[in-house]
Amino acid sequence: DSGVTQTPKHLITATGQRVTLRCSPRSGDLSVYWYQQSLDQGLQFLIQYYNGEERAKGNILERFSAQQFPDLHSELNLSSLELGDSALYFCASSVALGQGYEQYFGPGTRLTVT
Amino acid sequence: GNSVTQMEGPVTLSEEAFLTINCTYTATGYPSLFWYVQYPGEGLQLLLKATKADDKGSNKGFEATYRKETTSFHLEKGSVQVSDSAVYFCALSAPSALSSNTGKLIFGQGTTLQVKP
């Protein structure tokens, strides 16, 4: 158990809908990362927050957004869903910014868009 | 830009065989390098890491050495077990041309290891 929790574990929804994925980092970790794992794209970095502020953006679509709240949990919002958004979405946390710090991954949310 | 290339899988070995999974990288500056493992139906777990050239990361019998001259970080294990069957990801963290290093990971495509009894 990494200490990172993600809800829900599974989500099935229709095209055009909007969903929210939730992540609670390990106790004491200030940095939260979101990654997408799909068969065709592999594991890709989406976005990072540190202590409530956005710090880095990767290949994140404009239809996707995220935020980190004062209690440090984070939410990833996916809207106008398309079939191609079906993937496993991971949240990871680390104690600080910068390379070298270990990231601890949650179990993921499997999103299926039908 | 920064990238990681892993050997294609799947890799199929018999129990107690020697394992090597190749990983090479392209990065600006001096990246930190990681190996993560993903067991079926689970999230990623950090297996080992190295943060500077010639560092050797090790954990649970797995080892990898940060080789700057060959830009490689190959994963090795002397004797694999059935329980090592999983997908292994090589990853790096480094600054890019567009941003300072906030720690985001760039992953290779993953290598599936299957160990048969």
Side-chain angles (χ1 to χ4, degrees), chain A residues 25-41:
Chain A
R26 288 190 327 154
S27 177
D29 284 359
L30 298 178
S31 193
V32 169
Y33 304 79
W34 286 97
Y35 295 89
Q36 180 194 59
Q37 185 177 32
S38 62
L39 283 175
D40 52 345
Q41 299 289 331

Side-chain angles (χ1 to χ4, degrees), chain A residues 9 31 33 35 37 42-45 48 55-58 88 90 96-108, chain B residues 30-32 34 36 38 41-46 49 51 89 93-95 99 101-109:
Chain A
K9 285 196 76 169
S31 193
Y33 304 79
Y35 295 89
Q37 185 177 32
L43 259 169
Q44 289 206 37
F45 166 73
Q48 178 200 10
R55 296 305 298 264
K57 252 182 173 177
L88 199 47
F90 287 109
L97 281 178
Q99 68 182 71
Y101 290 102
E102 299 173 13
Q103 291 185 30
Y104 295 86
F105 282 73
Chain B
Y30 297 89
S32 293
F34 305 83
Y36 280 83
Q38 185 177 29
E42 297 184 13
L44 281 76
Q45 298 176 26
L46 178 65
K49 72 173 188 180
T51 57
F89 291 92
S93 176
S99 67
N101 194 348
T102 60
K104 66 180 188 285
L105 294 171
I106 294 172
F107 287 91
Q109 65 269 43

